[in-house]
Amino acid sequence: NAGVMQNPRHLVRRRGQEARLRCSPVKGHSHVYWYRQLPEEGLKFMVYLQKENIIDESGMPKERFSAEFPKEGPSILRIQQVVRGDSAAYFCASSPPIGGQNNEQFFGPGTRLTVL
Amino acid sequence: QKEVEQNSGPLSVPEGAIASLNCTYSDRGSQSFFWYRQYSGKSPELIMFIYSNGDKEDGRFTAQLNKASQYVSLLIRDSQPSDSATYLCAVNGRGNNRLAFGKGNQVVVIP
């Protein structure tokens, strides 16, 4: 009964490189969310996806960041031309198909991105 | 005004005592409320959710919701050293699925 899986757990990139973060949701969950946690700050919503659709990207920076959740395979958060300010923990969460009032989201272990 | 506020500083409680954490939110239409526990360097772990006014108990944890006051709290009874962590309040707003988080409250249980 695997939970949310993320890889890599740690990623080091130099300024200007690309970072790709992967997330496989809990089996049976069709909703994926990405959050970012900067040092000494709270979790901030970035994007909400369902299979092949971006539902809400209101928290995504307008440039350099993109996300996808293809029909097959994991969800990918892609950061192009990384800068030092992108250093953070990136968490993926998943939830089952939405019903009623609840929207319980279960978090993966996170990817800790360090930009040198 | 921040969407979700957790204002208290670190909370130190002796082992066996009750830890009380508070959270306020700004969107009166918010529908679901969550408490997550996060150990240092780890990911958030869902420990409670509540969506109706009143109390909800689960083991040593009790969540309390007062929508009129836009206030949600978490009580931890019989606190254990393993409860030492940061507790995050999260709110699901009206008409969307994203969670808005407070900055968290650190709890330290002293043996």
Side-chain angles (χ1 to χ4, degrees):
Chain A
N1 186 19
V4 177
M5 299 173 67
Q6 289 187 251
N7 67 80
R9 298 288 298 274
H10 299 274
L11 183 60
V12 179
R13 285 287 177 267
R14 297 191 180 279
R15 281 179 297 170
Q17 291 184 320
E18 179 179 286
R20 280 187 182 235
L21 288 62
R22 295 175 200 78
C23 168
S24 296
V26 173
K27 189 175 181 180
H29 285 191
S30 54
H31 301 250
V32 165
Y33 312 80
W34 287 92
Y35 293 84
R36 176 166 64 175
Q37 189 170 39
L38 292 164
E40 307 303 323
E41 291 195 18
L43 279 157
K44 301 292 185 187
F45 168 79
M46 299 181 75
V47 63
Y48 161 40
L49 309 104
Q50 296 178 22
K51 284 284 187 183
E52 299 185 281
N53 282 305
I54 297 174
I55 307 301
D56 179 358
E57 56 181 347
S58 59
M60 286 274 272
K62 294 285 186 281
E63 297 178 350
R64 302 189 297 109
F65 285 73
S66 62
E68 63 177 6
F69 189 15
K71 187 176 180 181
E72 301 290 337
S75 175
I76 306 282
L77 179 68
R78 182 181 177 206
I79 311 172
Q80 295 178 289
Q81 300 175 335
V82 295
V83 300
R84 289 214 173 109
D86 297 332
S87 295
Y90 292 82
F91 292 100
C92 171
S94 73
S95 68
I98 303 297
Q101 293 174 282
N102 292 342
N103 178 27
E104 298 138 61
Q105 296 181 21
F106 299 91
F107 281 76
T111 294
R112 279 148 184 86
L113 173 65
T114 302
V115 180
L116 302 177
Chain B
Q1 184 184 12
K2 292 182 181 176
E3 282 190 83
V4 181
E5 293 208 51
Q6 295 178 256
N7 285 329
S8 346
L11 178 65
S12 292
V13 295
E15 185 174 354
I18 295 175
S20 177
L21 303 171
N22 303 315
C23 171
T24 57
Y25 58 94
S26 60
D27 182 358
R28 188 169 286 279
S30 297
Q31 297 182 331
S32 305
F33 307 86
F34 305 85
W35 284 99
Y36 285 83
R37 177 175 61 198
Q38 187 174 27
Y39 293 111
S40 181
K42 302 296 185 182
S43 62
E45 174 191 6
L46 179 64
I47 55 172
M48 289 287 288
F49 69 87
I50 186 168
Y51 57 84
S52 297
N53 275 327
D55 295 1
K56 180 181 178 183
E57 188 174 315
D58 184 0
R60 295 185 296 110
F61 298 100
T62 298
Q64 299 173 318
L65 175 61
N66 183 326
K67 288 187 177 181
S69 301
Q70 295 175 238
Y71 172 98
V72 58
S73 65
L74 179 71
L75 300 176
I76 308 173
R77 290 183 301 282
D78 188 23
S79 295
Q80 302 297 308
S82 59
D83 295 327
S84 298
T86 296
Y87 290 80
L88 305 172
C89 174
V91 175
N92 191 184
R94 170 176 33 190
N96 64 68
N97 291 82
R98 63 179 176 83
L99 292 179
F101 282 85
K103 280 195 170 183
N105 285 125
Q106 186 182 7
V107 172
V108 178
V109 180
I110 302 166

